[in-house]
Amino acid sequence: MTVTLRYWAAAAAATGVDAEEARPDTVAAVLDEAVARHPELGPVLQVASVLVDGTPVRPEDRAGSQLSDGVSVEILPPFAGG
C-alpha cells in the first residue's frame, strides 16, 4: 500500500519537498514516519491540519484512522494571507 504525503507552506519548507510517498497504514504512522525522515516537521505538525483525501482528521483520531492504497494525506500549517 502506498499513500502520497503532500506538504504545504511551512510543512514543505520543513521537509524540503512538496510531496513524497509513504507506506504505513494509519495516519499516525504516516506522520511518525515523516517526522523520522524530517525532524523539522515535528513542530509544524503541532499546529497543522491533516487531511485525508480532503477530509480533516483530528489529532485524537489519527492513530485509529486507517488508510487505503492511493489516498493523499495533506499537511496544512496555518498561514497568513488576505
Side-chain angles (χ1 to χ4, degrees), residues 22-65:
R23 290 187 169 39
D25 59 353
T26 66
V27 173
V30 165
L31 298 177
D32 289 346
E33 181 182 282
V35 171
R37 276 194 308 269
H38 311 286
E40 307 82 14
L41 183 61
V44 176
L45 279 175
Q46 298 298 316
V47 295
S49 297
V50 175
L51 288 82
V52 175
D53 280 349
T55 301
V57 179
R58 298 179 309 180
E60 60 269 22
D61 296 332
R62 293 176 186 169
S65 293

Side-chain angles (χ1 to χ4, degrees), residues 4-21:
T4 301
L5 276 162
R6 297 197 189 283
Y7 302 108
W8 300 97
T15 62
V17 297
D18 293 331
E20 60 187 350
E21 292 186 347

